[in-house]
């Protein structure tokens, strides 16, 4: 009976406290009842620690070309790649990352998968590696590389640092395995927090959530490859048919409140299209606001060519001196700028221009945001259109 197989890290806290470096080892387990119960493989560990303190986070996948299993795992500030024909006996193949990529802290939760380049008969391999600290806006974040992989060694296309998400709150994300070939999407999900303040966020019953599932795509621009990510199409099934608002084209200057109708902003999907061909505008964006005048601001600086998210006055931030901040991300758009937001109680996930730029941010307003505003500085902004939807709960 074909089993489900899981590979995982054994973490021995007694060895860790003793000062040993070999307190993390890799084991496997199997399930014959669709994952309801698991049996650990008796001859564990299957991959012993060679004497490295940080030796964890295995991601295993079948390689059709070599007809072997490959395994990528985090090893302090780099990754190791292994191969196996039976999941029990592993051969070290190569190391990657010692002097490549961002190195502000330890590497964690790697992933490695092939992805076809949109509009071309080319397939590249994509490596995801989370890093903490060392993110583009401080703390935790996930970088990625594109390149070639032959089952033994990963060779990057370039050594530039690239981030899958420029926000403060998307970390340790990996992709699903075994999505049917008839679907053929590469779907990613991340942990929505940051180790700078993850243990102190003002939540009850549970702490932390995941991002929504996102479909990853690979695009090319002058032989430069970059990932885009957008909400999976199934999110559209949660849109409330009765809570929908459409806003027609209009100009605005300063701050201008627009109606969100019956849509609850704290559980909503918001889409905006701006015209920024008029370079007289210095910056523009949107503001979520409540009766306490708490303000969450998403803006784009035409002058600096960068997005910014300002949560300094957006609510509760006293739990950590690291939380209240402005996050920024460089971006050069075309004549039209599209913003797609998913807002859910304490999180805002921003997708710019069909996922060419993504920023994920936590926010803890004391009261619910009930007002939505457009703003522009330095001239009149032009909204092409906007559409808002209420989002149904997925829980009964």
């Amino acid at each position: 009976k074909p089993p489900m197989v899981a590979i995982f890290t054994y973490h021995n806290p007694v060895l860790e406290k003793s000062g040993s470096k070999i307190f993390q080892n890799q084991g496997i387990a199997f399930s014959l009842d669709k994952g309801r119960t698991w049996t650990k493989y008796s001859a564990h560990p299957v991959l012993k620690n060679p004497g490295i303190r940080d030796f964890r986070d295995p991601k295993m996948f079948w390689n059709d070309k070599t007809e072997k299993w490959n395994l990528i795992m985090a090893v302090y500030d780099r990754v190791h790649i292994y191969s196996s024909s039976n999941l029990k006996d592993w051969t070290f193949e190569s190391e990657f990352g010692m002097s490549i990529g961002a190195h502000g802290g330890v590497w964690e939760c790697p992933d490695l998968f092939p992805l076809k380049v949109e509009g071309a008969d080319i397939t590249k391999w994509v490596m995801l590696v989370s890093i903490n600290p060392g993110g583009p806006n401080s703390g935790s974040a996930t970088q990625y590389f594109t390149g070639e992989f032959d089952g033994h060694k990963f060779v990057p296309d370039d050594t530039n640092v690239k981030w899958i998400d420029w926000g403060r709150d998307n970390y340790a994300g990996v992709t699903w395995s075994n999505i049917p070939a008839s679907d053929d999407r590469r779907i990613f999900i991340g942990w929505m927090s940051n180790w700078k303040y993850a243990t102190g966020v003002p939540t009850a019953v549970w702490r932390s959530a995941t991002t929504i599932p996102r479909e990853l795509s690979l695009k090319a621009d002058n032989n430069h490859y970059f990932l885009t990510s957008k909400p999976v199409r199934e999110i559209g099934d949660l849109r409330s048919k009765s809570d929908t608002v459409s806003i027609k084209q209009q100009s605005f200057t300063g701050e201008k409140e627009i109606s969100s109708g019956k849509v609850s902003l704290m559980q909503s999907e918001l889409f905006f299209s701006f015209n920024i061909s008029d370079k007289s505008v210095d910056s523009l964006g949107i503001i979520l606001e409540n009766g306490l005048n708490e303000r969450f601001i998403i803006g784009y600086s035409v002058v600096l060519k960068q997005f910014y998210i300002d949560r300094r006055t957006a609510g509760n931030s006293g739990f950590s001196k690291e939380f209240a901040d402005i996050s920024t991300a460089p971006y050069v758009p075309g004549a039209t700028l599209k913003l797609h937001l998913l807002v859910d109680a304490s999180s805002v996930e921003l997708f710019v221009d069909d996922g060419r730029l993504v920023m994920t941010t936590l926010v803890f307003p004391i009261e619910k945001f009930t007002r939505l505003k457009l703003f522009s500085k330095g001239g009149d902004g032009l909204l092409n259109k906007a559409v808002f939807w209420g989002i149904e709960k997925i829980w009964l």
Side-chain angles (χ1 to χ4, degrees):
K1 186 175 182 180
M4 293 178 65
V5 178
I7 188 163
F8 59 95
T9 299
Y10 281 102
H11 182 107
N12 188 318
V14 176
L15 284 178
E16 181 183 17
K17 289 180 180 179
S18 73
S20 171
K21 291 184 177 181
I22 58 171
F23 60 88
Q24 292 180 333
N25 295 274
Q26 316 315 310
I28 59 174
F30 65 90
S31 173
L32 298 175
D33 56 6
K34 300 181 179 180
R36 290 167 176 81
T37 60
W38 293 86
T39 301
K40 293 179 181 178
Y41 177 59
S42 58
H44 61 78
V46 295
L47 186 53
K48 293 183 179 180
N49 193 317
I52 302 171
R53 177 177 174 82
D54 296 294
F55 188 74
R56 59 177 177 268
D57 301 343
K59 180 68 186 293
M60 180 175 64
F61 59 94
W62 177 254
N63 192 320
D64 288 325
K65 290 188 176 181
T66 61
E67 296 187 335
K68 286 186 177 182
W69 297 95
N70 276 127
L71 171 68
I72 184 172
M73 60 180 297
V75 184
Y76 184 54
D77 65 345
R78 64 204 70 176
V79 299
H80 282 182
I81 296 172
Y82 296 82
S83 67
S84 173
S85 59
N86 59 13
L87 301 179
K88 299 179 292 184
D89 303 300
W90 292 92
T91 300
F92 174 76
E93 294 287 355
S94 61
E95 176 182 288
F96 173 79
M98 182 176 66
S99 58
I100 298 174
H103 281 272
V106 296
W107 284 20
E108 295 187 295
C109 302
D111 198 354
L112 182 60
F113 52 86
L115 199 58
K116 187 174 181 180
V117 178
E118 283 194 1
D121 190 20
I122 301 173
T123 295
K124 307 295 291 186
W125 282 80
V126 179
M127 182 186 293
L128 308 181
V129 181
S130 291
I131 181 172
N132 178 65
N137 281 292
S138 183
S140 312
T142 301
Q143 61 184 321
Y144 71 91
F145 308 89
T146 63
E148 305 296 333
F149 178 62
D150 61 0
H152 308 284
K153 184 178 181 180
F154 177 81
V155 179
D157 294 319
D158 57 60
T159 58
N160 297 326
V161 177
K162 294 176 281 191
W163 303 101
I164 198 169
D165 190 314
W166 281 78
R168 290 285 297 274
D169 299 302
N170 181 4
Y171 187 63
V174 292
T175 62
W176 269 279
S177 300
N178 303 115
I179 291 177
S182 58
D183 185 317
D184 203 33
R185 286 180 293 176
R186 178 59 59 169
I187 297 177
F188 166 98
I189 194 167
W191 173 58
M192 196 155 49
S193 197
N194 189 309
W195 278 119
K196 286 276 189 178
Y197 41 75
T199 59
V201 292
T203 61
V205 183
W206 64 82
R207 176 167 286 153
S208 297
T210 58
T211 67
I212 61 166
R214 303 171 179 184
E215 179 182 355
L216 301 183
S217 299
L218 191 60
K219 300 181 185 294
D221 184 7
N222 294 324
N223 293 321
H224 168 70
Y225 300 99
F226 62 95
L227 280 179
T228 64
S229 57
K230 60 184 179 182
V232 293
R233 57 177 177 263
E234 289 83 356
I235 295 296
D237 297 338
L238 299 175
R239 292 173 180 171
S240 173
K241 296 180 180 178
S242 59
D243 297 341
T244 303
V245 174
S246 296
I247 305 295
K248 295 181 179 180
Q249 186 181 72
Q250 57 186 276
S251 61
F252 56 97
T253 189
E255 295 183 7
K256 181 178 182 179
E257 184 170 353
I258 57 175
S259 174
S260 57
K262 295 182 180 180
V263 173
S264 171
L265 293 176
M266 300 302 290
Q267 193 170 310
S268 64
E269 182 177 6
L270 312 175
F271 175 81
F272 304 85
S273 173
F274 296 99
N275 187 322
I276 58 170
S277 58
D278 183 357
K279 303 302 182 182
S280 66
V281 176
D282 294 336
S283 63
L284 52 76
I286 64 171
I287 302 171
L288 297 176
E289 195 175 74
N290 62 21
L292 297 177
N293 290 322
E294 294 174 331
R295 292 156 61 91
F296 179 83
I297 304 170
I298 296 176
Y300 179 70
S301 171
V302 179
V303 176
L304 299 178
K305 293 182 173 55
Q306 72 175 15
F307 267 92
Y308 59 93
I309 294 180
D310 187 348
R311 62 183 181 189
R312 292 176 299 174
T313 61
N316 187 350
S317 62
F319 55 88
S320 170
K321 63 181 182 180
E322 303 284 353
F323 189 79
D325 62 3
I326 298 178
S327 299
T328 62
Y331 189 70
V332 180
T336 300
L337 186 64
K338 296 185 293 184
L339 309 186
H340 183 185
L341 285 77
L342 283 158
V343 184
D344 185 16
S346 62
S347 64
V348 179
E349 300 177 64
L350 168 67
F351 303 86
V352 178
D353 289 342
D354 300 314
R356 293 175 69 94
L357 173 73
V358 184
M359 299 182 77
T360 303
T361 307
L362 295 180
V363 61
F364 299 101
I366 304 301
E367 291 184 358
K368 293 182 178 180
F369 293 129
T370 55
R371 296 194 293 267
L372 176 61
K373 293 181 176 179
L374 306 176
F375 76 88
S376 69
K377 298 179 181 179
D380 290 342
L382 179 60
L383 177 72
N384 292 326
K385 66 175 182 179
V387 185
F388 314 140
W389 298 272
I391 296 294
E392 303 286 354
K393 294 182 178 179
I394 63 171
W395 311 111
L396 298 177

Coordinates of all heavy atoms in Angstrom, one line a residue, residues 28-29 35 40 89 112 116 141 146 191 222 230 237 239 254 271 273 287 291 315 344 388-389:
I28 N 12.6 10.2 9.1 CA 11.4 10.0 8.2 C 10.3 9.2 9.0 O 10.6 8.5 9.9 CB 11.7 9.3 6.9 CG1 12.3 7.9 7.1 CG2 12.6 10.2 6.0 CD1 12.5 7.2 5.8
A29 N 9.1 9.4 8.6 CA 7.9 8.7 9.1 C 7.0 8.4 7.9 O 7.1 9.1 6.9 CB 7.2 9.5 10.2
G35 N -2.4 10.3 6.3 CA -1.8 11.3 7.2 C -2.5 11.4 8.6 O -2.1 12.3 9.4
K40 N 7.1 6.4 12.9 CA 8.5 6.8 12.6 C 9.3 5.6 12.2 O 9.2 4.5 12.7 CB 9.2 7.3 13.9 CG 8.5 8.7 14.3 CD 9.2 9.2 15.6 CE 8.6 10.5 16.1 NZ 9.2 11.0 17.3
D89 N 18.8 6.1 2.6 CA 20.3 6.3 2.5 C 20.5 7.5 1.6 O 20.2 7.5 0.4 CB 20.9 5.1 1.8 CG 20.6 3.8 2.6 OD1 21.0 3.7 3.8 OD2 20.0 2.9 2.0
L112 N 13.3 24.0 -3.4 CA 14.0 23.9 -4.8 C 13.0 23.2 -5.7 O 12.6 22.1 -5.5 CB 15.3 23.2 -4.7 CG 16.2 23.1 -5.9 CD1 16.5 24.5 -6.4 CD2 17.4 22.2 -5.7
K116 N 8.5 26.8 -15.3 CA 8.6 27.2 -16.7 C 8.5 28.7 -16.8 O 7.7 29.3 -16.1 CB 7.5 26.6 -17.5 CG 7.6 26.8 -19.0 CD 6.6 26.1 -19.8 CE 6.7 26.3 -21.3 NZ 5.7 25.6 -22.1
A141 N 12.8 37.4 6.4 CA 12.3 37.5 5.0 C 12.8 36.3 4.2 O 13.6 35.5 4.7 CB 12.9 38.8 4.4
T146 N 17.3 32.0 -9.1 CA 17.0 31.2 -10.3 C 18.2 30.6 -10.9 O 19.3 31.3 -10.8 CB 16.2 32.0 -11.3 OG1 17.0 33.1 -11.8 CG2 14.9 32.6 -10.7
W191 N 4.7 31.8 6.6 CA 4.3 32.2 8.0 C 4.3 33.7 8.0 O 5.2 34.4 7.7 CB 5.4 31.6 8.9 CG 5.3 32.1 10.3 CD1 4.2 31.9 11.2 CD2 6.3 32.7 11.1 NE1 4.5 32.4 12.4 CE2 5.7 32.9 12.4 CE3 7.6 33.2 10.8 CZ2 6.4 33.6 13.4 CZ3 8.3 33.8 11.9 CH2 7.7 34.0 13.1
N222 N 14.8 40.8 -20.4 CA 16.2 41.0 -20.8 C 17.1 39.9 -20.2 O 18.2 40.3 -19.6 CB 16.7 42.4 -20.6 CG 16.0 43.4 -21.4 OD1 15.6 43.2 -22.5 ND2 15.7 44.6 -20.8
K230 N 0.7 35.8 -6.9 CA -0.6 36.4 -6.8 C -1.5 35.4 -6.0 O -1.2 34.2 -6.0 CB -1.2 36.7 -8.2 CG -1.3 35.5 -9.1 CD -1.8 35.9 -10.5 CE -1.9 34.7 -11.4 NZ -2.3 35.0 -12.8
D237 N -13.6 32.7 -4.9 CA -14.9 32.0 -4.5 C -15.4 32.5 -3.2 O -16.6 32.3 -2.8 CB -14.6 30.5 -4.4 CG -14.3 29.9 -5.7 OD1 -14.6 30.5 -6.8 OD2 -13.7 28.8 -5.7
R239 N -15.6 35.7 -2.4 CA -16.1 37.1 -2.5 C -17.6 37.1 -2.3 O -18.4 36.2 -2.8 CB -15.9 37.6 -3.9 CG -14.4 37.9 -4.2 CD -14.2 38.3 -5.7 NE -12.8 38.6 -6.0 CZ -12.3 38.8 -7.2 NH1 -13.1 38.7 -8.2 NH2 -11.0 39.0 -7.4
G254 N -4.7 65.8 -2.3 CA -4.7 65.8 -0.8 C -5.3 64.4 -0.4 O -4.9 63.4 -0.9
F271 N -9.3 46.4 -4.9 CA -8.5 46.6 -6.1 C -8.6 48.0 -6.6 O -9.6 48.6 -6.6 CB -9.1 45.7 -7.2 CG -8.4 45.9 -8.6 CD1 -7.2 45.2 -8.8 CD2 -9.0 46.7 -9.5 CE1 -6.5 45.4 -10.0 CE2 -8.3 46.9 -10.7 CZ -7.1 46.3 -11.0
S273 N -6.8 50.8 -9.6 CA -5.9 51.1 -10.7 C -5.7 52.6 -10.8 O -6.7 53.4 -10.9 CB -6.6 50.6 -12.0 OG -5.9 51.0 -13.2
I287 N -5.4 55.0 2.3 CA -5.3 55.1 3.8 C -6.5 54.3 4.3 O -7.6 54.5 3.9 CB -5.3 56.5 4.3 CG1 -4.2 57.3 3.7 CG2 -5.3 56.5 5.8 CD1 -4.3 58.8 4.0
G291 N -12.2 55.4 13.8 CA -12.7 56.5 14.6 C -11.7 57.1 15.6 O -11.9 58.2 16.1
G315 N -2.2 51.6 15.1 CA -2.8 50.8 16.2 C -1.8 50.4 17.2 O -0.8 51.1 17.5
D344 N -7.4 41.2 6.3 CA -8.1 40.2 7.2 C -7.8 40.4 8.6 O -6.8 39.8 9.2 CB -7.7 38.8 6.8 CG -8.5 37.7 7.5 OD1 -9.5 38.0 8.1 OD2 -8.0 36.5 7.5
F388 N -14.3 46.8 -4.8 CA -14.1 46.2 -3.5 C -15.1 45.1 -3.3 O -16.3 45.2 -3.7 CB -14.4 47.3 -2.4 CG -13.7 48.6 -2.7 CD1 -14.4 49.8 -2.4 CD2 -12.4 48.7 -3.1 CE1 -13.8 51.0 -2.6 CE2 -11.8 49.9 -3.4 CZ -12.5 51.1 -3.1
W389 N -14.6 44.1 -2.6 CA -15.5 42.9 -2.3 C -15.4 42.6 -0.8 O -14.3 42.7 -0.2 CB -15.1 41.7 -3.0 CG -15.1 41.7 -4.5 CD1 -16.2 41.4 -5.3 CD2 -14.1 42.1 -5.4 NE1 -15.9 41.6 -6.6 CE2 -14.6 42.0 -6.7 CE3 -12.8 42.5 -5.2 CZ2 -13.8 42.3 -7.8 CZ3 -12.0 42.8 -6.3 CH2 -12.5 42.7 -7.6

